[in-house]
Amino acid sequence: MSSDTDRTISNRSKYESMDLSGSVYLVSGDGKIISLPMPSRSPRDPLNWGRNRRVLAFLPVLWYQIVCLVLVQATSSLFIGVQQKFSSEVGCIFMVSATSLFQGFGSFLWAPLSLAVGRRPAFVLATFVLTASTLWAALSNDFYQYLAALCLGAVAQGFALSASLLLIIDLAFIHERPQAVALNWALTPAAAYAIFSLAPEMSSDGTNYKRFYQIWVVPCFISIALALFFFPETYFIRPAQSYDGRILAQSATEKTEFYESWEAFPGGKHLPDAPDHPDHPELQRWWFMRYQYRLFVTTRAGWRGMFACYPQVILCLINPLILWVAVLQAIMLCSYISIGETIVVTLVSEPYNLTPTFVARGSAAIVPASLLTWPVCSYVLSLATKKLAMRNGGIREAEYYLPAFIIPVLAAVLSNILYGLAVQHIWDYAIIVIALALNAFAFYAIAIVATIWVTEAFPRWAAPAIVVVFGVSYITSTGMSYIVLAWIRSQGIQAMQMELALVIFVVGCIGGPFAFFGKGVRQRINGRWAASEAGALRPQACGQ
């Protein structure tokens, strides 16, 4: 960045370009994307790694998420077999809802924990918990043991909804995040549902739940190996450093500031410069490997950073720009569960009488639907945002991401209407499968857009914002999903789906004014913990 550009940025008002979260100078005058944040010279900085290495670091996370999602979907696939085996037990019908509830609880654990011990130790621990729960399910002999195993596994699966998103963002520059997040939410369900189509063979057409878990414990053990040996630490506190004769510092709002000397830098030179000498320990391969792959550590923020995250969660809950997304995510999850809880029973019953194997094959329609979220969402979030930023003098406002919410909202509304009509009027089963695929597209598209919006609009609150959007939404959707069947019995499947579509549309429309007034709202949202960088996307040394 040239000195003239630096001086121009420095002269802008505080709200315009310096400390206002979500407003970033991202496009230069000649239309080129600026790679921010600027990586340090430390080999521990994930932004200092090459693209291939960052992709390799992402693969263990992707594998873990696929393993988790297959287990989540197996809950509904094995529903009939479990109900037959434990017919005298009460509560089989709520297995899916219980899984969602504990996934939400898991989100409250893993994202804050990764701030205290680092991403890698939290990730490795999650893989061990997931494997243990899968073994427990494979060995369970009564319903309550099986349900407890599902709940423990759901806690581990909460990592895939919270801390794993922080891992992915750790590995990406600002302009790469929409592509990275969209790719993650597209590949995970695509691979999981492709594998899930083989679930009948692994469970004797859904009647032998133990056999499925005995087979699936193998991918769980593979996830442990990948996490232990192939995933390095990505949590990195980027220090101020010497750059072109001046001192470069980057705040947790992802702004770059230059100081003439260390004396002018707030706090002085309290951290060592990045390594330059070839004999510096950080540049020695053995030292780097030992540091990046160790397990028993605490971050600079430590447990204080973890516990500081929870007051930020409360602030996020009363933040209208985040609460709206959490409510919308919860309602759309309720929509997704309402179809997931009824589609299997609908298609294997009169008048369709399809086999569980055939129904599982039909779920493969979700594969192209989820893959479609990648080009659609990444185009809107990346290219459209770049054009809007160029019109704004190169400054990207977080509100430029809001129009992308239109896509999942309209897709969800259409899918609920189509599903209700198809089931009520006994249309061809292919229409029901199309409605399922469209609903899956909406569900994963809203996850992409919501992740980018909350982390880019409030980078200081990235971890607690993700906890709220996915943790709170999964917990609250559980309460709503409990009444789905009662709602259907009271209103009928068609009326219930129509009403749900209306709720999604109304809540989605609430976000419209934020596109025009969101920046002003962001300027005024503050609180005792607002300046804390413990839960930031890029925590800085000066903020700890």
Side-chain angles (χ1 to χ4, degrees):
M1 191 181 297
S2 66
S3 59
D4 290 338
T5 302
D6 299 336
R7 193 174 300 109
T8 300
I9 298 174
S10 299
N11 289 335
R12 290 180 178 272
S13 68
K14 179 179 180 180
Y15 284 159
E16 273 289 307
S17 64
M18 293 309 297
D19 293 330
L20 175 59
S21 297
S23 300
V24 179
Y25 186 79
L26 194 60
V27 184
S28 63
D30 57 359
K32 293 183 179 179
I33 295 291
I34 302 173
S35 294
L36 293 175
M38 294 182 65
S40 69
R41 290 187 291 273
S42 172
R44 295 184 289 116
D45 189 344
L47 294 183
N48 202 26
W49 303 344
R51 180 181 293 272
N52 290 340
R53 186 177 173 190
R54 286 187 284 150
V55 171
L56 289 175
F58 163 69
L59 293 180
V61 182
L62 178 64
W63 175 261
Y64 178 79
Q65 292 180 132
I66 292 170
V67 172
C68 287
L69 186 55
V70 171
L71 286 170
V72 170
Q73 296 304 318
T75 303
S76 60
S77 176
L78 301 173
F79 181 79
I80 296 177
V82 172
Q83 196 171 38
Q84 290 174 350
K85 183 175 179 61
F86 304 119
S87 56
S88 61
E89 303 288 351
V90 178
C92 285
I93 200 170
F94 299 121
M95 287 192 305
V96 175
S97 298
T99 301
S100 297
L101 177 65
F102 281 87
Q103 282 178 300
F105 290 156
S107 298
F108 276 86
L109 169 65
W110 298 113
L113 182 63
S114 72
L115 301 176
V117 301
R119 316 292 195 217
R120 172 177 159 80
F123 182 31
V124 172
L125 179 60
T127 61
F128 274 97
V129 174
L130 183 71
T131 304
S133 67
T134 306
L135 276 173
W136 190 7
L139 299 174
S140 61
N141 292 315
D142 62 69
F143 173 72
Y144 292 106
Q145 284 187 9
Y146 177 67
L147 184 61
L150 288 184
C151 293
L152 179 62
V155 172
Q157 292 155 17
F159 184 94
L161 298 173
S162 54
S164 68
L165 300 176
L166 299 177
L167 297 178
I168 293 166
I169 295 176
D170 283 343
L171 296 166
F173 292 98
I174 292 178
H175 67 280
E176 295 174 334
R177 290 174 195 165
Q179 288 276 359
V181 173
L183 182 62
N184 172 68
W185 282 110
L187 290 181
T188 299
Y193 279 100
I195 297 171
F196 179 66
S197 64
L198 303 176
E201 282 75 12
M202 292 188 287
S203 61
S204 302
D205 287 336
T207 60
N208 190 344
Y209 76 94
K210 284 190 175 184
R211 183 168 181 263
F212 171 82
Y213 289 106
Q214 290 166 355
I215 293 174
W216 202 246
V217 76
V218 176
C220 292
F221 276 112
I222 293 175
S223 69
I224 291 178
L226 291 175
L228 278 173
F229 301 111
F230 297 98
F231 182 78
E233 180 59 67
T234 62
Y235 185 93
F236 181 74
I237 296 179
R238 194 164 292 108
Q241 58 184 315
S242 300
Y243 181 83
D244 195 24
R246 291 184 292 174
I247 307 304
L248 180 149
Q250 300 175 83
S251 71
T253 56
E254 315 218 84
K255 307 299 187 300
T256 300
E257 299 182 64
F258 286 93
Y259 298 87
E260 294 301 325
S261 65
W262 282 109
E263 288 71 23
F265 176 68
K269 188 178 180 179
H270 59 281
L271 288 173
D273 275 326
D276 288 317
H277 195 277
D279 292 331
H280 192 284
E282 284 199 17
L283 298 182
Q284 302 300 316
R285 183 175 181 84
W286 68 268
W287 187 95
F288 173 75
M289 295 291 290
R290 185 185 67 175
Y291 183 91
Q292 289 294 89
Y293 289 89
R294 60 183 179 173
L295 289 176
F296 304 102
V297 297
T298 55
T299 64
R300 181 170 297 164
W303 298 103
R304 176 174 56 86
M306 176 180 179
F307 295 123
C309 185
Y310 292 107
Q312 290 179 327
V313 168
I314 297 175
L315 287 173
C316 289
L317 280 171
I318 60 176
N319 182 337
L321 301 179
I322 297 177
L323 180 61
W324 162 68
V325 178
V327 172
L328 181 60
Q329 176 80 19
I331 296 172
M332 293 187 68
L333 178 58
C334 181
S335 167
Y336 190 63
I337 292 175
S338 73
I339 294 179
E341 283 187 341
T342 57
I343 190 170
V344 175
V345 176
T346 298
L347 293 181
V348 300
S349 304
E350 293 285 348
Y352 296 101
N353 293 322
L354 301 179
T355 65
T357 301
F358 195 88
V359 174
R361 296 289 186 273
S363 67
I366 296 178
V367 173
S370 60
L371 288 175
L372 188 61
T373 61
W374 179 25
V376 172
C377 293
S378 63
Y379 174 82
V380 175
L381 292 171
S382 297
L383 298 183
T385 300
K386 178 183 176 180
K387 293 180 179 179
L388 291 172
M390 291 179 65
R391 294 179 182 178
N392 192 33
I395 296 182
R396 186 228 63 194
E397 304 289 356
E399 285 70 31
Y400 296 162
Y401 295 121
L402 286 174
F405 279 97
I406 297 173
I407 299 171
V409 168
L410 292 182
V413 170
L414 180 59
S415 68
N416 284 113
I417 293 175
L418 186 61
Y419 182 76
L421 291 173
V423 174
Q424 182 69 30
H425 299 286
I426 317 178
W427 291 352
D428 189 87
Y429 77 91
I431 305 298
I432 296 178
V433 173
I434 291 173
L436 173 65
L438 189 59
N439 192 266
F441 170 84
F443 178 70
Y444 292 111
I446 192 67
I448 294 170
V449 180
T451 301
I452 293 297
W453 161 245
V454 298
T455 55
E456 295 300 326
F458 300 96
R460 285 189 188 272
W461 296 355
I466 286 178
V467 168
V468 168
V469 170
F470 293 99
V472 173
S473 64
Y474 268 70
I475 291 173
T476 55
S477 70
T478 301
M480 288 185 280
S481 63
Y482 279 138
I483 65 173
V484 164
L485 295 181
W487 194 355
I488 293 174
R489 286 193 295 268
S490 173
Q491 304 277 343
I493 186 69
Q494 177 176 312
M496 176 265 179
Q497 292 292 335
M498 295 292 182
E499 292 166 2
L500 193 54
L502 178 61
V503 173
I504 292 173
F505 182 76
V506 171
V507 175
C509 289
I510 293 175
F514 292 152
F516 301 99
F517 307 110
K519 181 179 178 180
V521 175
R522 279 193 287 121
Q523 291 178 8
R524 291 164 177 81
I525 292 176
N526 209 329
R528 177 183 176 185
W529 300 92
S532 173
E533 298 182 1
L537 284 174
R538 307 290 181 189
Q540 309 300 315
C542 59
Q544 299 299 330

